[in-house]
Each structure stands twice: as structure tokens, then as C-alpha cells.
Amino acid sequence: MAKYFNVTGMCKPSEHYMVSLDGRLAEIRRMIDRKYYFAINR
């Protein structure tokens, strides 16, 4: 079976495409510390 984006539950890297947020973690942390509102969208 080909990989696909799972938007309904737990993702399994062997079955689903995964998006890495590693490059954005510092920015996300700053937003949390400043109590900003944000959304992580698929």
C-alpha cells in the first residue's frame, strides 16, 4: 500500500507521510512563551 497523509488518528511513519517540525520548534517555543495563539495545520 502506498503512503498517504493520515488526518484521522495516530500516524505510523511506515504507512503515512510525516512532516518534520524540527526547523520550527524554536519559533513555536517563543510563541508559546509569549502566550501567542497559533495553529499547526496539516
Side-chain angles (χ1 to χ4, degrees):
M1 177 182 243
K3 285 187 175 186
Y4 61 95
F5 283 103
N6 178 18
V7 296
T8 61
M10 188 175 92
C11 291
K12 298 177 186 175
S14 62
E15 297 178 20
H16 307 117
Y17 290 114
M18 305 292 288
V19 176
S20 174
L21 294 178
D22 292 343
R24 300 184 203 170
L25 288 178
E27 181 182 355
I28 291 169
R29 183 65 206 194
R30 279 192 298 275
M31 293 174 76
I32 291 170
D33 290 343
R34 294 176 181 164
K35 300 179 182 173
Y36 288 176
Y37 289 94
F38 66 95
I40 299 175
N41 195 345
R42 57 189 145 133

